Each structure stands twice: as C-alpha cells, then as structure tokens.
Amino acid sequence: VSDSIVKSFENNLSNINLSSRALTNLYAQSKLEIDSYKKGKLFEDFTILLFSSMGFNHIYDRVIDKSRNEIDIIIRNDVKDEFINRFGSYLFIECKNKLHGAVSKNDFIVFLEKVRNSNGLSKLGIILTTGYIASTTPLEAMRSSKDEEKIIFLSNFIFSAQRSKAKPLSPLRAHQSRAPKRSRDASC
C-alpha cells in the first residue's frame, strides 16, 4: 500500500514546479519566522498552496469540531485518482513547524486518533514538518499498519530535496526501502 501511496503523490507532484518563487518563499518564511503563531500559519499557508498546486480545489484550514479537536487542514478529496479516492472523501493534514524538533510518536498517535474519529470521512492523514520524523514514529506507524487509516510523513528532508531539483519524493523512497518489512505471517 505504501508504494502505491508514494507513487500516486509522485505522479501529482510531477505537475508542480516546486522551485516557484511563491512556494519557496513561503516555505523559507515559515522556517525563519520567530513568532510561533505566525510560524505555524505560514507553514499552513505553504501547505495549502502546495496541495492546491496538486489539483485539490476545496481546502479548509484550522477546522475545530464540536469536541474541540483541531485539524490544521482538511482537503476535500476531489482529485480524479482512483487510488487516493479509496481513502475517503477528505484528507486530514497536520502541520508541524518544528525547525529543530522531531515529530514524535505521540504527535503521530494523537493525529491518527483524529483520523480514526472522523466517522469514515477520512482514512488518510498527512503529517508535514519543517523538522524531522523521530525514529520511533515510523515504528509506531508500523504497529497500526494493519488498520484501515494510513498516515504519510513528509519532512524537511523531502522539501529540501525538491528545492535541490532531486527526483520528487526520491528521499521518501530511499527511506521507505530501508524500513523493516513485515512478513505476511506476522500476527499483531
């Protein structure tokens, strides 16, 4: 499944010129901003621009439900992609502007629960960060890999590679190939 998710996003990312001034400037501003609220808002604006460039037309930011759960960005899944459409009507996105920090397994668990509690509206979440993903986070993600809901990680490593004109998501593929493989006979 993870290969198909990566391939689908690679196909859509190939339509984006990530070296465009708007994306590059917004990303740089989000990393350099000192005020934490503005820093988070700039990174969310970068993310909205990134996904709108991929063809997503209905994007909602800072959605808070009645139980006070906040989703940074919700995207209506209206892209004509058979694979992505299997993950529900909406995509949930969590933006973590942690320049020198990691997205921890606890960040992952909290976000996964938000996706799980969406009453089937979303089965795919994306965590984007200006920092990095802690080594324990993908391990925690593997524990929940049998579940219907999936979370994709996009980090500064990937965005930096895009700016240096690397093949889209090639760092993700390299990281994915290093991840331990689960056997089909493994029971969880």
Side-chain angles (χ1 to χ4, degrees):
V1 171
S2 64
D3 284 338
S4 298
I5 291 171
V6 170
K7 184 173 182 170
S8 180
F9 275 93
E10 279 180 343
N11 291 338
N12 286 320
L13 279 174
S14 66
N15 298 327
I16 302 171
N17 179 2
L18 287 181
S19 64
S20 73
R21 287 185 184 171
L23 281 170
T24 302
N25 289 339
L26 208 46
Y27 185 69
Q29 287 174 1
S30 74
K31 289 179 73 170
L32 297 173
E33 178 60 49
I34 296 171
D35 179 86
S36 60
Y37 176 79
K38 288 180 185 176
K39 184 177 192 71
K41 185 66 177 133
L42 283 167
F43 190 55
E44 289 173 12
D45 291 345
F46 163 79
T47 303
I48 289 169
L49 181 59
L50 177 69
F51 280 89
S52 67
S53 299
M54 293 172 65
F56 294 98
N57 296 317
H58 298 90
I59 302 174
Y60 312 94
D61 64 335
R62 300 268 173 131
V63 177
I64 301 174
D65 68 11
K66 291 180 182 178
S67 65
R68 303 301 299 160
N69 279 323
E70 181 179 326
I71 305 293
D72 290 339
I73 298 171
I74 296 178
I75 298 176
R76 191 168 79 193
N77 189 4
D78 53 7
V79 170
K80 291 176 176 54
D81 184 292
E82 191 175 314
F83 178 77
I84 296 296
N85 289 334
R86 288 194 263 169
F87 290 100
S89 302
Y90 295 90
L91 308 175
F92 286 6
I93 298 179
E94 182 74 13
C95 297
K96 295 290 186 185
N97 197 346
K98 297 181 171 188
L99 187 57
H100 300 293
V103 172
S104 70
K105 74 175 189 174
N106 291 336
D107 293 328
F108 166 78
I109 291 168
V110 168
F111 184 60
L112 179 61
E113 284 305 308
K114 290 177 183 181
V115 174
R116 283 181 178 154
N117 293 329
S118 72
N119 292 325
L121 291 174
S122 178
K123 295 177 189 162
L124 180 63
I126 303 168
I127 297 177
L128 283 88
T129 181
T130 56
Y132 60 97
I133 308 296
S135 62
T136 56
T137 307
L139 297 174
E140 186 64 34
M142 284 193 298
R143 287 187 191 100
S144 65
S145 65
K146 68 184 180 318
D147 298 338
E148 196 173 21
E149 298 83 13
K150 304 296 177 206
I151 305 294
I152 296 172
F153 304 109
L154 297 175
S155 69
N156 183 54
F157 184 63
I158 294 186
F159 300 129
S160 297
Q162 290 298 329
R163 287 196 317 268
S164 66
K165 308 244 188 242
K167 182 179 176 190
L169 293 184
S170 56
L172 181 60
R173 279 227 184 270
H175 177 72
Q176 178 186 17
S177 66
R178 291 190 306 265
K181 304 289 185 207
R182 279 182 47 165
S183 71
R184 292 183 183 177
D185 298 330
S187 59
C188 293

